[in-house]
Amino acid sequence: MNLPHIQDAPELKGKRVIVRVDFDVSIGGNGVLNENEATRVEKSLRTIQFLQDKGARVILISHIGRDPKETLRPVAEYLNKVSGLHVGFVPHCIGDDVVPILGGMKEGRVILLENLRQHEEEKKNDPEFAKALASYGDLFVNDAFAVSHREHASIVGIAKLLPAYVGFQFVDEVIHLSKARTPEHPALLLIGGAKFETKFDLLKEFLPKVDLVFVGGALANNFLKVKGFEVGKSLLDPEVDLSDVVKNLKVHVPIDVITDKEEVKTVEQVTSDEKILDIGPATIEHVEGLLKGVKTVIWNGPMGNYENGFVKGTEAIAKAVAKNKGASFIGGGDTLAATYGLHLEKDITFISTGGGAMLDFLVKGTLPGIEALQK
Ligand code: ADP
Ligand code: MG
């Protein structure tokens, strides 16, 4: 894929460069960034530092959280603490007082504007809003891969109004996830979690591309049900039609599970008053077996209801994936949250920062944020 990389931009000295970053992290009660999410912020440093070294004036834009009142101020403070960048913070992203501040920026200066989603125009991809943002700069850089499945003003609208590029982190995502889309064989897809619709799209797209699939998490409940097993009160998608997929011999599902009574049961033993909440030990062993000799493994979605303590399956699978000698690609907000703390980073080929964006890219091979650059 031929993406316009910011490295290839002509003359950056003195230019005003608007960089769409993904600083959507959760801030703890003490106003401090959660440690496991700080990497998301740190990954953007490469592009920022590159631009600063070139003498550009760097204007960072991002959203944070779901509540439009949320502020990016703690992120600016965090950046100042860890990077020595001296990031200025402007408590607005739009309005008459923003322009003079940006006008006074010296070369190499970095400024972060306030949460874009304080304005509903951002999500609506309002053309006037995009125009106002674009007016701040000479160039636009998208380094927010994880948001690029969204047709928002700061992703799509602005890219059409300025010479537009992608940053280092974005390129990294595209290179690695493109490799995952054309996997070296034998290839194994591990999927879990609970977002049925998007995950089944992934499954359908990858079924012809991989040699093996293991379905865990709440997703597996649908498979077990179609296969005629009792799944009791387990989480299910009533809509999804698995009639074709379930016949495919590549597709493996749990053989034992842990239920809300915390008992290990074979899938034949589950009763109508139970909820399946994790994969069991025999299933873990089965997946370890599937992983033997695999050259590519792609994993998205936890194997169990980890946030309520049903984390054994997910942790065991994470360790097995890390141990595998082939290339490994993992992603998903919950997948990363569930495996954080195991310190497996160095044994995984690529950890995507994109949840929905990773899935959409894996399925379609492109994203609205990429299309907007090819205007
Ligand atoms: P990701 O963010 O990694 O893409 P999802 O958002 O699809 O993953 O799914 C994560 C959610 O799936 C978590 O809330 C987790 O508790 C839930 N989950 C996984 N397995 C089960 C299960 N057996 N029953 C209920 N919830 C489950
Ligand atoms: Mg999730």
Side-chain angles (χ1 to χ4, degrees), residues 338-357:
T339 53
Y340 178 75
L342 298 178
H343 304 293
L344 302 170
E345 297 78 14
K346 63 174 189 347
D347 297 316
I348 305 284
T349 309
F350 186 67
I351 300 176
S352 176
T353 56

Side-chain angles (χ1 to χ4, degrees), residues 92-352:
H92 311 278
C93 64
I94 222 95
D96 293 342
D97 44 346
V98 178
V99 179
I101 297 173
L102 299 182
M105 281 173 86
K106 296 206 176 76
E107 286 184 8
R109 185 96 171 94
V110 183
I111 281 183
L112 172 64
L113 302 185
E114 183 56 288
N115 183 8
L116 294 162
R117 291 197 193 160
Q118 288 194 354
H119 302 268
E120 58 180 19
E121 291 88 345
E122 159 66 355
K123 279 177 146 187
K124 288 184 179 155
N125 191 16
D126 178 86
E128 290 306 314
F129 186 75
K131 226 158 106 183
L133 293 176
S135 75
Y136 302 153
D138 306 304
L139 302 175
F140 171 68
V141 179
N142 184 346
D143 211 16
F145 180 86
V147 200
S148 292
H149 57 318
R150 304 284 186 212
E151 291 192 30
H152 293 172
S154 68
I155 297 288
V156 167
I158 190 172
K160 295 184 176 161
L161 300 171
L162 290 172
Y165 299 86
V166 289
F168 289 90
Q169 193 188 340
F170 200 114
V171 169
D172 227 33
E173 292 274 356
V174 169
I175 288 175
H176 283 102
L177 297 181
S178 298
K179 275 192 197 142
R181 290 192 89 239
T182 49
E184 209 185 321
H185 296 277
L188 165 66
L189 173 67
L190 297 169
I191 53 176
K195 277 189 202 136
F196 289 85
E197 205 182 308
T198 49
K199 308 262 165 142
F200 281 125
D201 285 347
L202 181 74
L203 178 58
K204 277 186 230 143
E205 173 70 21
F206 271 73
L207 209 45
K209 294 187 188 203
V210 296
D211 306 280
L212 290 165
V213 176
F214 174 76
V215 186
L219 243 51
N221 299 336
N222 267 79
F223 281 82
L224 293 171
K225 184 155 189 220
V226 173
K227 284 175 179 274
F229 295 109
E230 177 65 69
V231 296
K233 297 191 195 122
S234 305
L235 188 58
L236 282 173
D237 185 336
E239 307 267 300
V240 67
D241 175 16
L242 290 174
S243 38
D244 281 347
V245 185
V246 85
K247 286 186 225 133
N248 195 310
L249 294 176
K250 289 179 188 175
V251 180
H252 295 242
V253 298
I255 47 183
D256 64 345
V257 293
I258 302 199
T259 74
D260 52 343
K261 294 174 182 140
E262 294 197 40
E263 277 180 83
V264 176
K265 290 201 162 177
T266 67
V267 290
E268 290 86 1
Q269 291 168 333
V270 176
T271 52
S272 60
D273 59 338
E274 276 179 302
K275 250 192 223 165
I276 298 170
L277 292 171
D278 201 356
I279 56 173
T283 304
I284 292 171
E285 230 173 89
H286 181 70
V287 177
E288 286 165 350
L290 295 179
L291 272 160
K292 286 225 170 76
V294 157
K295 289 233 168 83
T296 310
V297 51
I298 302 154
W299 174 29
N300 178 287
M303 294 295 145
N305 183 221
Y306 74 94
E307 65 272 47
N308 292 318
F310 296 86
V311 72
K312 280 196 193 129
T314 304
E315 290 192 350
I317 298 306
K319 286 179 191 158
V321 168
K323 218 170 113 192
N324 174 263
K325 296 271 180 289
S328 46
F329 303 89
I330 79 170
D334 289 283
T335 311
L336 302 191
T339 53
Y340 178 75
L342 298 178
H343 304 293
L344 302 170
E345 297 78 14
K346 63 174 189 347
D347 297 316
I348 305 284
T349 309
F350 186 67
I351 300 176
S352 176

